[in-house]
Amino acid sequence: MTVSYENSKIIFDGIKAAGIRSISALPETWLGLLLQRAEDDPDIQLVQVAKEEEAIGIAAGAYLAGTPHVLLMQNHGFFGAINGIVSLAQLYHIPLCMLIAFRGHWGEPYPWHTRGGIVTEGVVRALGIPFEYAREPDKVAKQIREAWTFSQSSLSPVALLLTRDLMES
Amino acid sequence: MERAGCIEMIYPELGDKLVVTIMGACAQELYNLGHCDNFFYLQHAMGLASSIGLGLAMHLPRDRVIVLDGDGSVLMNLGTFVTLARYRPKNLIHVVFDNGSLLSTGGFDSQTASGLTDIAAIARGAGIEHVAAVSTTTEFGEAFVEALERDDLSVIVAKVAAVGPEHYGMDLQLPENAFRFKRWIAERKRAAERPT
């Protein structure tokens, strides 16, 4: 299985069509082609972090500055960012639009991803973060746009979980 | 040298800058001098003040951003120095008040207390060019003025005594602080775009 070139392009175009101008990310396999596009696009400011919790601070700074921003991370990185999500974003009513690579579920061949995949939905629910699964390429642009809109109106973190169906081909 | 004295010294310079502080004593000492809507107090999420500052600085390149950090907080997010070094925002001054203590949570020694761990050396090792380590109020003032005059990322590590304010409390709800801070930035941007 390889990362879907076509769908990575569809997601990146969806991010841009939603009016996003800034992306924070920590590179991971499923997000690699997306990040390459972000890096090559002069209209997108890409901030690569050393750990995902930093990206919560950077996203908060972008929001306060008035720049539309999304965060790209793996679900394991999301776990490492939870205190920032709770004690910065949720505490101060700062929206976050998170696109999360949902590793470690149906079809996962790698044992190291499986524990994280199994608990992801439960953790997202426990944190009260509204979420949806992105599975179909023809719907993902609309899902990104709607995730962005809802984050801004609810002043809340929201999560779009990018599934294997979408990310691999 | 006391942190409160350092903050009081730079307070007159902060009127037109975006200021992000960490929790506890640092936030309270700035607030006690008189709150302004361009001050954001991160009363939790230890470690992320400098990341918020980086996000602000990268997205508002024409504004100056000042982060007032502490040893306990920055030790929770040492990775921030490598990301700051990588993107090197010219408009960011990152002040780390190092009192060697987790003062706001009971005064336990932090890892810098023995002198073994050197935050300024960590910042330099991460690749930040302009790092000042100061231990007197005069040195702090000089380093801050140099940083203001320099058009480049600056880190100032200031050794301070482990003392804080006698009373804590703000007449400001946390989301209110974020809303007013965001509005201050938006109004400043609108004013800058208005023809003169």
Side-chain angles (χ1 to χ4, degrees), chain B residues 87-118:
Chain B
Y87 293 101
R88 198 170 179 162
K90 292 180 170 183
N91 51 338
L92 178 63
I93 301 174
H94 183 195
V95 178
V96 183
F97 291 114
D98 180 4
N99 62 8
S101 169
L102 296 164
L103 181 70
S104 300
T105 53
F108 295 95
D109 280 358
S110 84
Q111 279 84 338
T112 68
S114 67
L116 193 65
T117 297
D118 181 344

Side-chain angles (χ1 to χ4, degrees), chain A residues 76 104 108-118:
Chain A
H76 297 83
E108 179 62 67
Y110 302 120
W112 48 88
H113 281 312
T114 57
R115 275 294 124 192
I118 290 167

Side-chain angles (χ1 to χ4, degrees), chain A residues 111-168:
Chain A
W112 48 88
H113 281 312
T114 57
R115 275 294 124 192
I118 290 167
V119 302
T120 296
E121 184 178 317
V123 173
V124 172
R125 284 188 187 278
L127 293 170
I129 296 174
F131 71 99
E132 262 194 49
Y133 288 98
R135 303 182 194 279
E136 297 172 42
D138 57 345
K139 289 186 181 160
V140 69
K142 181 166 181 276
Q143 286 182 302
I144 293 167
R145 190 173 71 242
E146 291 183 347
W148 166 256
T149 301
F150 190 50
S151 71
Q152 301 298 301
S153 61
S154 63
L155 302 181
S156 168
V158 305
L160 187 61
L161 302 174
L162 309 175
T163 63
R164 182 176 308 278
D165 286 346
L166 184 70
M167 300 311 298
E168 287 192 340

Side-chain angles (χ1 to χ4, degrees), chain B residues 3-171:
Chain B
R3 181 188 44 240
C6 294
I7 296 174
E8 192 173 355
M9 181 191 269
I10 63 174
Y11 184 80
E13 296 292 332
L14 302 181
D16 61 348
K17 296 173 183 67
L18 296 164
V19 184
V20 181
T21 80
I22 56 163
M23 62 182 286
C26 186
Q28 190 68 44
E29 285 166 358
L30 179 62
Y31 177 87
N32 288 350
L33 294 168
H35 175 68
C36 302
D37 283 349
N38 51 313
F39 299 168
F40 182 76
Y41 313 103
L42 180 61
Q43 293 287 15
H44 214 308
M46 282 176 74
L48 293 189
S50 57
S51 302
I52 297 172
L54 176 60
L56 288 167
M58 289 184 73
H59 296 96
L60 295 168
R62 285 182 293 186
D63 287 296
R64 292 303 286 263
V65 180
I66 315 284
V67 174
L68 302 180
D69 213 332
D71 52 308
S73 282
V74 86
L75 288 170
M76 290 201 192
N77 183 18
L78 285 174
T80 194
F81 286 126
V82 304
T83 309
L84 288 174
R86 179 170 183 170
Y87 293 101
R88 198 170 179 162
K90 292 180 170 183
N91 51 338
L92 178 63
I93 301 174
H94 183 195
V95 178
V96 183
F97 291 114
D98 180 4
N99 62 8
S101 169
L102 296 164
L103 181 70
S104 300
T105 53
F108 295 95
D109 280 358
S110 84
Q111 279 84 338
T112 68
S114 67
L116 193 65
T117 297
D118 181 344
I119 291 173
I122 293 170
R124 284 189 202 103
I128 297 172
E129 186 177 336
H130 304 291
V131 181
V134 299
S135 53
T136 67
T137 313
T138 310
E139 285 174 355
F140 175 76
E142 285 170 0
F144 193 79
V145 168
E146 278 173 27
L148 280 180
E149 287 170 354
R150 181 187 297 132
D151 191 25
D152 204 351
L153 170 66
S154 303
V155 172
I156 301 170
V157 181
K159 281 278 179 195
V160 293
V163 291
E166 286 176 17
H167 302 289
Y168 287 88
M170 292 187 185
D171 182 16

Side-chain angles (χ1 to χ4, degrees), chain A residues 36-118:
Chain A
Q36 255 167 29
R37 286 185 178 276
E39 212 167 38
D40 295 342
D41 191 320
D43 295 333
I44 293 285
Q45 185 156 31
L46 175 66
V47 191
Q48 284 189 37
V49 294
K51 190 186 176 192
E52 288 82 352
E53 193 178 10
E54 278 179 67
I56 308 303
I58 290 163
Y63 168 72
L64 294 166
T67 305
H69 180 94
V70 297
L71 303 92
L72 296 179
M73 63 181 81
Q74 192 190 89
N75 44 350
H76 297 83
F78 164 77
F79 298 153
I82 285 176
N83 188 47
I85 292 169
V86 173
S87 300
L88 169 55
Q90 292 182 329
L91 191 61
Y92 283 86
H93 295 211
I94 289 172
L96 302 172
C97 185
M98 299 182 285
L99 307 188
I100 300 174
F102 180 48
R103 309 297 299 265
H105 218 260
W106 262 212
E108 179 62 67
Y110 302 120
W112 48 88
H113 281 312
T114 57
R115 275 294 124 192
I118 290 167

